[in-house]
Each structure stands twice: as structure tokens, then as C-alpha cells.
């Protein structure tokens, strides 16, 4: 297997707050990698640096050998990284399918095209992506009135538009019922397997993490304190001490669920 | 050296009024997020009321009592405006309130005209402070010294009130975080009213206190408007020390400017503002605006769809009817319709960037007037054919929009709006002051269409072709991938950037395209009138555009066009009466209160409720 993403000593401080400290890891092709940690651990900040929304204060990120530190999100997206946001950010004035079509228009580099009707472009492609995430029956609905879980699934289909080789998903299942949660992660696993892409995701539900991920990283106060297989993480003394505080992992996570 | 110092003192004295008025505007914006266009009118009322009071209250005590009472009176007028006009529409879409404040401007103009007459009033001199003192040999009016002393006192009192008292803490809390006020258990409505009182009072004080130096006249409202916006922006929205520093900066530079580079006077403050904003994006003392802080109020926009067969049929029918108008033989109807179409194209171009792009431009007249002037200058100086001038006009306007857009695009929100205003004023003052080239105030005349287009009916059809053609082109682009990318950039910059859309570039292109279309409208305009004057580049023209876009409905595709046509028609009727501004102002406010989604948006809702149009959403 080959390394898709390599992160070297990534750091970020906001004023005096060191949100991320010297984090290093890599992601293999086809890997489903979870990043866990309590609220404020720096997970979203990490994602923001990987995708270019934030400039790191130190360290570098290599995607397929190319250094992408300091590049714009739109360029990073073109290189093949897609992302969903912890706080959803779909286009509220468009329908569900138009949201996907917009991303496809960008994928096909047709943004500066003035003549065709946008709502007719790439409609079938968009519908099949919506079908993949189980949203095709809601395709014509106004995006502003979707349920939160549906928005998350819509974002996933948008993130797939550019056929990324790496997908970053920040709390993809937040706001979903437990059954929905497992369905979405099952879907993600299928996508990882079928399209041979890699996924890095954050998640508070430990059942979901331990069921679906191939590998788990634990972030605490900006530092990576553990990185290993599901079993290793479950039994890691440091993780239990710092992250679990000796208590029940699942309960802890539940209490900390909402940022 | 001594002259320089004396000039510095003059500048500091001038800063008093500017600071008083601007700090009121800043407070109101900071707490209520309302861009109060009528703030200049409060200032004007302060001058008129102060003048009247000074006629009856004698002596030194009478003078200062008049100043204070004028302030209080204007503060109370501000309260009336807040309660009657603004309170019903706080929940309307962002910036919609500025339309209502524009209605207030119109009403106050006619009330002032009715009460105090059309003649300029010479301000009385301040008893006890009439003479001069010599400072380093230079004469300095005593009153100037009084003003220089008073301003820091006012600044300090305001600062004390804001930082040390409970009310002040609430005001600050509201400025920084509006949700928090509710959480503190404060009645937000009364807080807003109180802030309006204070803000209007400061404007009134400013108007009264400058009487000995400037007097009172009916143009004061618009004359100070641009300056106080500039001061607030340079100082940083919501910052009092910033407003003071900026008022001093602008006034002092202005005094020196008048002396040493007289041609610069009108442009100077806008250049200063542009430079400050390039270096300090949020003004001298401003806080960074958190994206989305002003958030979209009200419901999100509906998805758009190109017109169906029924809609197309209706548009075709309308065009057909318009084409019949010349057959009636009425010159008047043709000229009125030509004006309407021209204005509608201008409004549609503004709607394109404002509605679809979410970019509020306060200076769109620059491209309308710009297009008109490009054509007129080509004809006047190069003897160009009408056809060539007509074709080049939109390109000239677009070129201006490309350059100005590039500069303004670095900022967002209100700062973007203010930058567009500044550059529009810059162009206006260039045209106004460069007599030999642009004709200055006298404008450019004898700009007639080519022989084959000379004739009311022929030119009418020409206007229909390009005017309606332009509107339809704008509408089509709204449905194109580019139009979608523009809306995407507005809806969620983060998502758009994370899916490969260069949002700034898209917005820049849209701004330029809108500029070109406004330029086309300007070209149609200049050849229909045969002349062009600097008024076509004025703030008032830009505001006209804003008003109709908001009145028509920002969140609807045809809002700009419908708003423009309605306003032109109403104006045509109302201007036959003596106090037409008053009537128009009242009408605008009534429409704003009754139809907070704009005319089209509200009609659409009404239709939905009556089941006439298909519901677009299953909510
Ligand atoms: N824009 C910002 N400015 C200042 N501090 C921030 C900013 N974003 C995040 N932080 C801080 O960085 C830390 C990590 O936050 P975040 O990455 O959102 O954590 P997580 O996603 O793991 O919950 C927190 O202490 C948070 O307060
Ligand atoms: Mg997070």
C-alpha cells in the first residue's frame, strides 16, 4: 500500500493557545482512519490545516508526495482531497440536486460558462451521486429545509464530485440517530472499498469508531497521544488515562458530543 | 509655520461637527446594524431647529441652550423614526432598513422646505465668542477654540458612558454580540430606541453647533452624508475614538488641501479612506468583522428556475404591448417608457451583484454615469460616430468596474459597500472638477444619436432592443453556471472554496459584468437625453438604484426591474405635486412595512397563499 497523505510536525497556535502541537501521521491508500479526542482537542483545526482553510504555524503536509502546505482550499480540492464540514455549509438557496450539480460544474471546469442552463448540466451524474448516499428521493427539495442528517449525507455526495483520493469528514454523523449513524459509516466503508480511496474522519461515538475504522489516532490538547489499530487503542493505558479518565469510553464520548 | 498651525486649529474645529454626527451614525450602526441614510437629515434638522431656537432665546445662555435643545429635539425625532418606521422591519432581510431611512430623508426634506423655506439661513454668531484671538500672529476665531475644547469633552463623556455605565455596557454587549443582549434579559427594542435617541441627538447637536460657521440649508443632508460615512469607515465601524481620530484626520487634511491643492478638495477624503482601508482593512480602530456576523436575517432565498411557458408568454406579451406604444403617437408615453427601460436595466445590473452576488454596492452610479460619460466624451472630443461611442460605452464602464472591483474586492460587507461609494465619489469629483475635459457642472451637451436613429419612435425601439436585451441577458446569466457559482459564493464561501470555486474571481467578474450592463444603460440614457451631467454619477443616483432593488425584492429575480418600473411610474405621477418628496417618502415607508420581502417577493407569497402559483417548497 502506498502513502496518500503524510503530515510532518503540524502545529497551529491561535495567539497564546497552542491548538495543535507537532502532529505527525500518514494515511495509506484505502485506509479508513479515525481521529478521536475530546472537544477542543484540535481535530477540526487539523482538518482546516490539511484542507487549506487555515495556515499552519509550523510543519508540512504532503499529498501523494506533493507539498500542499499553504495552498488554497480550492487548489487542494483540485489535487484530489474532498471534505465535509462539522458545521454544514451547503448552498441554502439551491435545491439538493443543484448543490451537487454546482460541485460537478466546478469539477468539469465550467464555472465561467454563461450560455447553458446550470440546472440541466450533469443532472444524471448528480442524481447517481445522490443515489449513492440515499438522497435521490429528496433531490428537488430546497436545501434550506433539510434535516441535519440529510445535509451531512448531501455534503458527502458533494465531496465525492471531484473523485477525490482522500476524503476528510469532520463529525459526519453528528446529529444523527444511532441507526442512521451506522448506515452512513457502512456507506463510507463501502465507498472506501469500492473506489479505493482513503478517509480520515472524526467521531464521538466510540461504537462507530471501533466498528468501522481500520486505524485510530487519539488527539489530546493538540497532541497526538496514540496511533494504532482498534485493539491497541482500546487497551492503551495512556489513552485510557488521559482520554477516558478511567471511566466508560462510550459514556464520556456521549457527554462531550456537542461542541 | 504659524499659518500651518492656524490651519491645524481650523481643521480641529471643523472636526467637531463631523465627529458629533459621525459618532451618532457609528453608534446606531454598531448596535442596530442599520445603515442609517437619514443621519444627514437629522443633522440638517439640528441646524434648522437650532436656528429657530436661537431667534427666541437671547444671549450666551440662550445660544448654548438652543444647541442642547436642538439636540434633544432631534433625538426625539429619531425616537419617532425608530418606533414608527424601523421597528416594524427589523426582521426584514439585511440592509432592507436602509430603504426606509431613505424614505425618511425624503420626508424630512419636504418638512424642512415647508417649515423653513427654500432660502439658505445665515447662522447667528455665538454671543461672547464673536471675535478672534491671535495665536502666533495668526487670527483664530474664538468660536473655533470653543469647538476644539468641546469635542474631546463630548468624546470623553460618550466614552465614559459607554465603558462605565450599565447602559453603556449593554450597548457594547449589543455591538459585539447581539444574541447576548437577549440573554442579559434586556428588552432589545428599547435598547435600540435609546441608541437611536442618542445617535440622532448627536447629529442634531452637530447641526446646531456648526450654525455660526455654516448656517442652515436644504442641501446639508446629502452634503455631509458621504463625509460621515467616510469618517465612520476610516475610524472603524462602532468605534468612538476611531470616529474622532478620523474626523480630525479628514478635517485637517481638508483644510490643507483647500489651501495647497484646491483641485483635490472633493476627492481627498475618499483617497484617504481608500488608503486607510488598504492598509487597515477594518479602519483605524475597528474590530475584525467575523464572517456571517451580520448573518442573513429572514428566510433563505428560494431556489430559482428559468421562466416556464406561462412566464415566457407573459414576458412576450409585455414586450409586444411595449412595442405598440409608439403607435399611440404619444411622445410622452415613449419618452417615459424609454426612461423606465433605461432605469430598469441599471437596476437589474445592480440587482445582479447585490441580489445574486450578495455584494452591496453603494456606488453603482459610477458605471451608469461612467458609460454615459464615455460615450459623451468620445463624441465631444474625438468626434466619434454615435454607433462607435455606443458600443464602447459599456466596455469603458466595464474597464472601470474591473479596476475598482479589484480594489474593493479585498473587503467584505459594509466595508465593501463603503469602498464602492468612495470610488464612485472619486469619479464624480473628477468629472465635476475637471472642467476643460468633462464640462464640469455644465455637463456635456449635443450628444445625439446617429441620423438613422434620430426620432422618438426609432430610438424607442432601439432602447427596447438593447435595454430589454440587456435585462434578459442578465437574467439568463443568472441561470447559467456562472450565475450559480455567484450564488454559491454568496451562500457559502467556505463550501464554494472547498469545491474548487475561486469565489473572489467569480465575484469580481460579476461586478465587472454588472458594470458593463450599467454602462449600457448609461449609453442608452445619454443618447436619449442628448446630454449628461455629473448628477448621473452622484450618490443620490446610486441610492436610487439601491432603493428600487430592495423595494422590488432582493431575493427575487425580477425585483430590480419591477422596482425600477414602479418607482419611475410613481415618481412621474408624484412629481407633478408640490410636496412630492413627502408623498414619495411616505409611500416608500408604507411599502417597506407592508412588503418586507419587496414587491415581487410579497406578491409571490400572496399568490402562494391564494394558491395561484405553485408552491415552490413543501414547507
Ligand atoms: N479560530 C480560532 N481562534 C482561536 N482559537 C481557536 C480557533 N479555532 C479553534 N480554536 C481553539 O483551538 C482548540 C481546538 O479547537 P478544535 O480544533 O475546534 O477542536 P475539536 O474539533 O477537536 O473539538 C480549542 O481550544 C479552540 O478554542
Ligand atoms: Mg471539531
Amino acid at each position: 500500500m502506498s502513502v496518500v497523505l503524510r503530515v510532518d510536525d503540524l502545529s497551529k497556535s491561535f495567539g497564546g493557545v497552542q491548538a495543535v502541537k507537532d502532529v505527525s501521521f500518514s494515511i495509506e491508500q484505502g485506509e479508513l482512519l479515525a481521529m478521536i479526542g475530546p472537544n477542543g482537542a484540535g481535530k477540526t483545526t487539523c482538518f482546516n490545516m490539511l484542507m487549506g482553510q487555515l495556515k499552519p504555524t509550523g510543519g508540512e503536509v504532503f499529498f501523494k508526495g506533493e507539498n500542499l502546505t499553504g495552498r488554497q482550499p480550492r487548489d487542494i480540492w483540485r489535487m484530489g482531497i474532498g471534505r465535509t464540514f462539522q458545521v454544514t455549509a451547503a448552498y441554502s438557496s439551491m435545491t439538493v440536486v443543484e448543490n451537487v450539480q454546482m460541485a460537478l460544474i466546478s469539477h468539469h471546469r465550467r464555472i465561467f460558462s454563461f450560455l447553458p442552463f446550470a440546472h440541466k448540466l450533469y443532472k444524471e451524474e448528480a442524481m447517481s451521486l445522490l443515489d449513492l448516499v440515499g438522497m435521490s428521493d429528496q433531490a428537488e427539495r430546497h436545501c434550506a429545509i433539510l434535516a441535519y442528517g440529510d445535509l451531512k449525507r448531501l455534503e458527502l455526495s458533494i465531496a465525492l464530485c471531484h473523485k477525490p483520493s482522500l476524503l476528510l469528514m469532520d463529525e459526519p454523523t453528528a446529529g444523527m440517530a444511532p441507526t442512521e449513524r451506522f448506515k452512513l459509516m457502512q456507506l463510507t466503508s463501502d465507498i472506501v472499498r469500492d473506489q479505493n480511496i482513503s478517509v480520515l474522519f472524526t467521531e464521538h461515538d466510540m461504537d462507530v469508531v471501533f466498528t468501522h475504522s481500520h486505524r485510530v489516532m487519539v488527539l489530546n490538547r493538540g497532541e497526538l497521544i496514540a496511533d494504532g489499530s482498534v485493539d491497541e487503542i482500546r487497551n492503551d493505558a495512556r489513552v485510557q488515562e488521559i482520554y477516558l479518565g478511567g471511566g466508560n469510553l462510550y459514556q464520556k464520548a456521549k457527554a462531550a458530543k456537542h461542541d | 509655520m504659524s499659518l500651518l498651525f492656524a490651519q491645524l486649529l481650523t481643521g480641529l474645529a471643523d472636526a467637531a461637527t463631523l465627529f458629533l454626527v459621525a459618532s451618532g451614525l457609528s453608534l446606531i450602526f454598531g448596535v442596530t446594524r442599520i445603515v442609517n441614510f437619514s443621519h444627514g437629515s437629522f443633522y440638517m434638522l439640528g441646524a434648522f431647529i437650532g436656528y429657530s431656537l436661537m431667534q427666541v432665546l437671547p444671549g450666551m445662555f440662550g445660544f448654548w441652550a438652543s444647541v442642547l435643545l436642538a439636540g434633544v429635539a432631534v433625538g426625539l425625532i429619531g425616537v419617532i423614526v425608530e418606533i414608527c418606521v424601523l421597528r416594524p422591519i427589523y426582521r426584514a432581510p439585511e440592509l432592507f432598513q436602509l430603504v426606509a431611512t431613505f424614505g425618511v430623508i425624503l420626508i424630512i426634506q419636504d418638512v424642512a422646505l415647508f417649515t423653513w423655506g427654500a432660502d439658505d439661513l445665515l447662522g447667528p454668531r455665538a454671543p461672547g465668542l464673536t471675535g478672534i484671538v491671535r495665536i502666533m500672529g495668526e487670527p483664530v476665531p474664538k468660536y473655533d477654540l470653543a469647538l476644539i475644547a468641546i469635542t474631546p469633552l463630548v468624546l470623553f463623556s460618550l466614552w465614559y458612558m459607554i465603558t462605565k455605565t450599565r447602559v453603556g455596557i449593554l450597548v457594547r454587549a449589543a455591538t459585539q454580540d447581539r444574541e447576548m443582549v437577549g440573554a442579559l434579559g434586556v428588552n432589545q427594542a428599547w435598547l435600540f430606541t435609546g441608541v437611536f435617541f442618542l445617535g440622532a441627538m448627536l447629529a442634531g447637536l452637530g447641526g446646531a453647533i456648526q450654525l455660526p460657521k455654516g448656517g442652515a440649508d436644504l442641501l446639508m443632508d446629502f452634503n455631509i452624508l458621504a463625509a460621515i460615512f467616510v469618517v465612520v469607515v476610516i475610524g472603524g465601524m462602532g468605534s468612538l475614538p476611531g470616529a474622532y481620530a478620523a474626523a480630525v484626520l479628514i478635517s485637517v487634511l481638508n483644510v490643507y488641501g483647500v489651501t495647497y491643492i484646491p483641485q483635490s478638495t472633493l476627492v481627498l477624503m475618499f483617497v484617504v479612506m481608500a488608503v486607510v482601508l488598504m492598509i487597515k482593512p477594518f479602519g483605524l480602530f475597528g474590530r475584525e468583522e467575523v464572517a456571517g456576523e451580520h448573518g442573513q436575517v429572514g428566510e433563505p432565498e428560494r431556489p430559482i428556475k428559468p421562466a416556464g411557458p406561462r412566464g415566457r408568454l407573459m414576458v412576450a406579451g409585455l414586450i409586444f404591448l411595449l412595442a405598440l406604444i409608439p403607435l399611440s403617437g404619444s411622445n410622452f408615453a415613449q419618452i417615459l417608457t424609454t426612461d423606465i427601460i433605461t432605469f430598469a436595466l441599471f437596476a437589474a445590473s445592480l440587482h445582479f451583484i447585490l441580489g445574486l452576488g450578495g455584494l452591496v454596492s453603494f456606488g453603482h452610479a459610477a458605471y451608469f454615469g461612467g458609460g454615459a460619460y464615455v460615450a459623451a466624451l468620445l463624441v465631444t472630443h474625438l468626434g466619434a460616430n454615435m454607433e462607435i461611442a455606443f458600443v464602447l460605452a459599456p466596455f469603458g464602464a466595464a474597464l472601470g468596474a474591473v479596476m475598482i472591483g479589484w480594489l474593493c474586492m479585498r473587503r467584505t460587507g459594509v466595508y465593501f459597500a463603503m469602498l464602492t461609494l468612495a470610488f464612485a465619489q472619486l469619479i464624480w469629483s473628477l468629472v465635476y472638477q475637471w472642467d476643460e475635459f468633462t464640462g464640469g457642472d455644465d455637463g456635456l451637451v449635443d450628444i445625439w444619436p446617429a441620423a438613422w436613429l434620430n426620432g422618438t419612435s426609432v430610438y424607442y425601439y432601439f432602447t427596447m432592443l438593447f435595454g430589454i436585451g440587456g435585462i434578459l441577458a442578465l437574467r439568463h446569466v443568472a441561470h447559467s453556471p456562472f450565475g450559480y457559482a455567484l450564488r454559491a459564493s454568496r451562500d457559502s464561501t467556505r463550501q464554494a472554496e472547498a469545491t474548487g470555486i475561486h469565489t473572489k474571481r467569480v465575484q469580481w467578474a460579476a461586478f465587472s459584468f454588472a458594470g458593463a450592463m450599467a454602462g449600457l444603460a448609461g449609453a442608452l440614457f445619454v443618447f436619449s437625453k442628448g446630454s449628461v451631467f455629473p448628477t448621473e454619477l452622484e450618490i443620490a443616483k446610486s441610492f436610487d438604484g439601491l432603493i428600487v432593488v430592495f423595494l422590488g425584492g432582493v431575493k427575487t429575480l425580477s425585483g430590480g426591474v419591477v422596482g425600477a418600473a414602479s418607482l419611475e411610474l410613481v415618481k412621474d405621477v408624484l412629481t407633478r405635486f408640490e410636496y412630492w418628496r413627502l408623498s414619495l417618502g411616505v409611500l416608500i415607508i408604507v411599502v417597506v412595512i407592508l412588503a418586507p420581502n419587496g414587491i415581487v417577493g410579497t406578491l409571490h407569497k400572496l399568490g402562494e397563499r391564494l394558491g395561484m402559483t405553485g408552491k415552490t417548497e413543501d414547507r
Side-chain angles (χ1 to χ4, degrees):
Chain A
M1 277 215 251
S2 61
V3 170
V4 176
L5 188 86
R6 202 180 84 227
V7 177
D8 286 344
D9 291 330
L10 204 58
S11 299
K12 178 78 194 178
S13 52
F14 296 105
V17 183
Q18 183 86 33
V20 174
K21 252 178 277 182
D22 297 330
V23 167
S24 304
F25 62 90
S26 53
I27 306 176
E28 307 265 314
Q29 192 175 348
E31 194 171 28
L32 190 56
L33 175 58
M35 181 185 266
I36 62 171
N39 271 325
K43 304 181 295 293
T44 300
T45 306
C46 265
F47 273 43
N48 283 340
M49 288 190 286
L50 298 185
M51 190 69 195
Q53 275 94 8
L54 282 177
K55 303 262 167 290
T57 37
E60 287 178 323
V61 183
F62 294 90
F63 178 65
K64 295 181 173 168
E66 238 184 298
N67 191 338
L68 52 70
T69 329
R71 296 206 194 184
Q72 294 289 333
R74 54 176 182 268
D75 300 327
I76 294 174
W77 180 78
R78 292 241 175 256
M79 291 167 72
I81 304 184
R83 129 162 230 196
T84 68
F85 293 92
Q86 180 173 352
V87 180
T88 55
Y91 308 128
S92 58
S93 75
M94 300 183 192
T95 63
V96 169
V97 66
E98 282 173 346
N99 264 274
V100 184
Q101 283 171 292
M102 185 68 246
L104 286 169
I105 285 169
S106 177
H107 166 66
H108 291 281
R109 296 186 179 272
R110 295 284 298 275
I111 290 168
F112 284 91
S113 136
F114 295 82
L115 293 180
F117 283 116
H119 73 282
K120 292 186 179 158
L121 285 181
Y122 314 118
K123 180 121 186 193
E124 270 148 45
E125 215 175 325
M127 288 306 290
S128 69
L129 278 165
L130 284 176
D131 207 30
L132 187 68
V133 298
M135 284 287 291
S136 51
D137 52 331
Q138 302 199 55
E140 299 299 334
R141 291 190 78 195
H142 184 185
C143 191
I145 60 168
L146 285 189
Y148 197 68
D150 292 342
L151 271 175
K152 290 274 181 187
R153 290 194 283 161
L154 170 61
E155 286 214 338
L156 175 57
S157 67
I158 291 174
L160 289 172
C161 282
H162 193 55
K163 309 194 172 28
S165 32
L166 171 65
L167 207 53
L168 309 176
M169 300 167 76
D170 200 356
E171 304 205 6
T173 69
M176 288 186 178
T179 48
E180 237 189 326
R181 213 167 262 200
F182 276 91
K183 255 166 61 187
L184 185 87
M185 284 321 291
Q186 190 55 54
L187 174 71
T188 311
S189 307
D190 293 348
I191 293 171
V192 166
R193 194 191 54 229
D194 298 344
Q195 308 189 6
N196 197 23
I197 66 177
S198 320
V199 170
L200 172 65
F201 74 106
T202 67
E203 175 60 62
H204 280 298
D205 188 331
M206 290 308 137
D207 282 352
V208 171
V209 171
F210 291 148
T211 315
H212 292 285
S213 35
H214 303 158
R215 207 176 103 211
V216 181
M217 294 189 295
V218 186
L219 209 60
N220 186 47
R221 301 203 184 155
E223 279 178 287
L224 201 57
I225 59 166
D227 180 347
S229 71
V230 170
D231 283 336
E232 282 166 0
I233 295 300
R234 262 211 192 102
N235 303 320
D236 186 308
R238 257 181 91 202
V239 174
Q240 298 210 333
E241 183 190 333
I242 300 177
Y243 181 63
L244 314 173
N248 180 318
L249 180 50
Y250 183 71
Q251 290 303 327
K252 267 272 174 194
K254 207 158 203 185
K257 194 153 302 161
H258 292 289
D259 279 6
Chain B
M1 188 59 219
S2 57
L3 180 63
L4 278 182
F5 185 69
Q7 285 170 331
L8 178 69
L9 292 181
T10 312
L12 281 172
D14 290 348
T17 304
L18 208 48
F19 165 68
L20 281 170
V21 186
S23 60
L25 182 72
S26 192
L27 269 176
I28 290 177
F29 176 82
V31 175
T32 66
R33 292 289 179 232
I34 288 179
V35 179
N36 179 25
F37 279 178
S38 61
H39 209 68
S41 308
F42 291 157
Y43 161 73
M44 179 173 78
L45 278 180
F48 277 118
I49 294 174
Y51 177 89
S52 294
L53 287 169
M54 284 169 200
Q55 306 301 307
V56 288
L57 301 175
M60 192 156 83
F61 174 77
F63 177 85
W64 293 107
S66 303
V67 171
L68 284 180
L69 285 176
V72 173
V74 175
L76 291 176
I77 293 171
V79 168
I80 296 174
V81 168
E82 198 275 338
I83 292 180
C84 299
V85 178
L86 296 170
R87 204 177 270 191
I89 52 170
Y90 279 129
R91 300 215 58 79
E94 193 174 18
L95 285 180
F96 188 65
Q97 294 88 358
L98 62 81
V99 183
T101 65
F102 188 77
V104 174
I105 296 184
L106 294 174
I107 294 175
I108 291 181
Q109 269 175 351
D110 264 1
V111 168
L113 175 66
F114 179 77
T115 317
W116 288 281
D119 295 332
D120 293 1
L121 302 177
L122 193 64
R125 307 229 269 159
L129 294 169
T130 50
I132 55 154
V133 285
R134 292 212 168 259
I135 295 178
M136 295 159 75
E138 296 292 332
V140 176
K142 282 184 189 162
Y143 192 66
D144 276 10
L145 294 178
L147 288 181
I148 292 172
I150 289 171
T151 323
L153 282 182
V154 176
L155 172 63
F156 181 77
S157 324
L158 280 176
W159 174 84
Y160 185 84
M161 202 193 88
I162 299 273
T163 47
K164 302 287 180 216
T165 66
R166 184 178 142 72
V167 176
I169 288 165
L170 289 178
V171 167
R172 268 193 313 157
T175 310
Q176 272 147 34
D177 184 355
R178 296 178 62 181
E179 320 283 80
M180 206 163 108
V181 187
L184 290 174
V186 178
N187 185 332
Q188 182 168 317
W190 287 106
L191 180 66
F192 281 18
T193 310
V195 165
F196 244 84
F197 174 77
L198 187 60
M201 185 180 82
L202 286 167
L205 284 177
I209 212 167
Q210 61 81 51
L211 276 168
K213 297 181 65 140
D217 62 72
L218 288 170
L219 297 177
M220 287 171 77
D221 52 353
F222 269 111
N223 282 349
I224 201 166
L225 202 54
I228 55 176
F229 275 132
V230 167
V231 165
V232 170
V233 169
I234 291 183
M237 288 281 176
S239 160
L240 288 174
Y244 182 66
V248 169
L249 181 69
I250 291 291
S251 305
V252 171
L253 279 177
N254 193 44
V255 175
Y256 290 135
V258 169
T259 322
Y260 302 107
I261 18 172
Q263 319 84 288
S264 75
T265 47
L266 294 174
V267 192
L268 194 63
M269 68 179 171
F270 296 104
V271 174
V272 175
M273 166 168 145
V275 170
V276 168
L277 284 195
M278 293 297 149
I279 302 167
K280 302 250 335 174
F282 303 99
L284 296 174
F285 292 76
R287 252 175 359 106
E288 180 167 356
E289 300 261 330
V290 183
E293 190 176 31
H294 302 252
Q296 283 249 341
V297 191
E299 356 178 340
E301 199 170 306
R302 305 288 179 84
I304 59 172
K305 280 272 161 349
R310 195 168 64 159
R312 282 175 198 210
L313 208 65
M314 272 167 63
V315 172
L318 184 67
I319 293 176
F320 181 71
L321 284 181
L322 288 175
L324 291 181
I325 286 182
L327 302 184
S328 74
S330 156
N331 257 345
F332 168 75
Q334 293 180 54
I335 291 172
L336 177 64
T337 315
T338 303
D339 289 353
I340 290 179
I341 294 175
T342 313
F343 189 45
L345 175 57
F346 171 56
S349 71
L350 177 61
H351 179 272
F352 186 77
I353 44 164
L354 202 162
L356 301 179
L359 299 168
V360 183
S361 165
F362 281 179
H364 203 54
Y367 315 104
F368 177 82
Y373 265 97
V374 167
L377 288 170
L378 285 169
V379 170
T380 309
H381 291 293
L382 298 178
N385 283 338
M386 177 259 178
E387 292 89 342
I388 292 180
F390 184 82
V391 170
L392 289 182
F395 286 101
L399 191 66
V402 166
M403 292 190 296
I404 293 175
W406 185 76
L407 291 165
C408 298
M409 215 48 82
R410 293 140 181 265
R411 305 289 164 258
T412 52
V414 195
Y415 289 96
F416 172 85
M418 292 298 164
L419 270 178
T420 56
L421 176 78
F423 284 110
Q425 278 305 93
L426 199 98
I427 290 181
W428 171 80
S429 34
L430 271 180
V431 168
Y432 193 84
Q433 288 190 321
W434 197 359
D435 278 358
E436 316 89 76
F437 188 59
T438 61
D441 205 11
D442 299 328
L444 294 168
V445 292
D446 268 337
I447 319 292
W448 294 110
W452 62 277
L453 280 171
N454 220 341
T456 310
S457 299
V458 187
Y459 198 77
Y460 176 81
Y461 286 120
F462 183 73
T463 306
M464 270 190 72
L465 179 65
F466 282 95
I468 297 178
I471 291 169
L472 293 179
L474 281 162
R475 218 187 143 88
H476 181 81
V477 172
H479 292 109
S480 74
F482 179 74
Y484 270 57
L486 184 61
R487 282 164 64 219
S489 308
R490 172 200 65 190
D491 282 356
S492 173
T493 311
R494 194 181 56 171
Q495 175 81 290
E497 286 280 338
T499 49
I501 300 176
H502 193 324
T503 54
K504 289 281 178 210
R505 190 177 289 164
V506 168
Q507 290 172 333
W508 185 26
F511 190 80
S512 311
F513 179 56
M517 284 302 167
L520 178 64
L524 284 171
F525 172 87
V526 68
F527 288 109
S528 78
K529 299 291 174 208
S531 58
V532 60
F533 301 95
T535 43
E536 300 312 323
L537 293 159
E538 269 179 1
I539 296 186
K541 182 83 192 178
S542 296
F543 283 10
D544 270 356
L546 279 172
I547 301 308
V548 298
V549 169
F550 278 108
L551 270 187
V554 190
K555 296 184 173 185
T556 59
L557 269 189
S558 47
V561 175
V562 172
S566 319
L567 188 75
E568 257 331 78
L569 279 174
V570 168
K571 255 191 183 166
D572 180 69
V573 175
L574 286 183
T575 42
R576 295 168 202 186
F577 302 102
E578 197 177 351
Y579 289 103
W580 66 272
R581 286 190 193 85
L582 182 78
S583 334
L584 184 60
V586 171
L587 187 70
I588 286 179
I589 291 173
V590 168
V591 172
V592 161
I593 292 174
L594 292 183
N597 295 301
I599 299 171
V600 180
T602 304
L603 283 181
H604 200 81
K605 287 222 154 135
L606 217 62
E608 251 175 38
R609 200 166 302 161
L610 300 176
M612 275 156 54
T613 52
K615 283 200 175 187
T616 33
E617 212 16 87
D618 43 356
R619 173 154 39 194

